[in-house]
Amino acid sequence: MARPLIQMALDSLDFNQTVALADQVAPYVDIFEIGTPCIKYNGVNLVKELRNRYPDKLLLVDLKTMDAGEYEAGAFYAAGADICTVLGVSGLATIGGVIKAAKKHAAEVQVDLINVPNKAECARESAKLGAQIMGVHTGLDAQAAGQTPFGDLNEVASLGLNVRVSVAGGIKPATIDQTVKAGANIIVVGAAIYGAPSPAEAAREIRELVDAAAV
Ligand SMILES: O=C([C@H](O)CO)[C@H](O)[C@H](O)COP(=O)(O)O
């Protein structure tokens, strides 16, 4: 089985804390995600800072774009994003706009399926349009209401689309094995790392668990 990538969700609002956390977990993760609250608060300068500091890491900017796809995402690709997210509920015109912006920078697009009623249809249509990653996502508020992403992950991974499947929503050490075995190509972890007493140690443990589950 191909080794899934680990994406660290940087969800602090504080610029310096975000950079410091990235420094701590860098040896164990493949993708830095600048989370939605963080990018809204800090803007494009944080993308530039992480790009300069980590030229070889993948950088995902979790814009969750809802409108003006090409216009909004273009500035973040220009600043160094490898991947920007667009909401599946935004519709194909907006998703297509982000894809257009990504193409100009030889970058990629993740469609976030959060709150999309028909995830299979949205994933199929977005893949046809050229999106490379489908994001199965139980957001922080839905997690607080007791929801998990695993049912949706099984559904989207079993569609057999020519895309990578990312999963986010409270992933922790105890759920890594089932996440990898369900077919996730990108595993997003936020609170289980940044909320741990030692984020570096937590990230190292997640790396070990992902690699062990992928053999
Ligand atoms: O995308 C996220 C959320 O919507 C805020 O932007 C989180 O980064 C994502 O859910 C991963 O974090 P955890 O659920 O804490 O692992």
Side-chain angles (χ1 to χ4, degrees):
M1 185 188 291
R3 180 185 191 245
L5 300 180
I6 298 174
Q7 178 173 314
M8 171 73 213
L10 301 164
D11 274 332
S12 166
L13 295 186
D14 186 280
F15 190 103
N16 293 327
Q17 272 179 24
T18 299
V19 173
L21 179 59
D23 287 348
Q24 288 174 59
V25 303
Y28 310 109
V29 307
D30 306 291
I31 305 175
F32 285 135
E33 168 195 330
I34 306 179
T36 311
C38 183
I39 196 63
K40 284 187 178 177
Y41 197 77
N42 292 291
V44 83
N45 285 340
L46 182 58
V47 180
K48 291 179 182 165
E49 173 68 23
L50 288 175
R51 182 74 294 156
N52 284 338
R53 227 173 160 87
Y54 289 105
D56 299 326
K57 285 268 185 236
L58 290 169
L59 195 51
L60 178 144
V61 181
D62 194 9
L63 292 175
K64 293 191 178 78
T65 293
M66 184 62 183
D67 190 19
E70 183 180 4
Y71 187 47
E72 179 167 282
F76 292 90
Y77 287 121
D82 297 295
I83 304 161
C84 287
T85 66
V86 55
L87 291 172
V89 293
S90 71
L92 293 179
T94 300
I95 294 169
V98 179
I99 291 171
K100 199 168 166 196
K103 277 189 181 149
K104 281 190 193 147
H105 296 275
E108 294 191 314
V109 176
Q110 174 172 315
V111 176
D112 188 331
L113 299 172
I114 190 168
N115 292 338
V116 169
N118 187 338
K119 293 180 175 47
E121 186 189 338
C122 179
R124 279 197 196 97
E125 293 300 316
S126 303
K128 238 188 262 169
L129 217 52
Q132 296 88 352
I133 306 169
M134 294 304 136
V136 173
H137 185 189
T138 300
L140 298 173
D141 296 336
Q143 287 178 50
Q147 293 176 34
T148 72
F150 303 112
D152 293 336
L153 173 60
N154 288 332
E155 184 195 358
V156 174
S158 68
L159 295 174
L161 301 171
N162 187 24
V163 295
R164 279 164 286 147
V165 177
S166 160
V167 63
I171 307 293
K172 54 188 180 214
T175 50
I176 290 289
D177 193 61
Q178 77 176 102
T179 305
V180 173
K181 296 206 161 99
N185 307 107
I186 300 172
I187 298 175
V188 184
V189 186
I193 293 178
Y194 64 69
S198 163
E201 179 53 30
R204 192 193 57 73
E205 184 191 3
I206 299 271
R207 169 92 274 159
E208 275 183 16
L209 290 167
V210 167
D211 291 350
V215 289

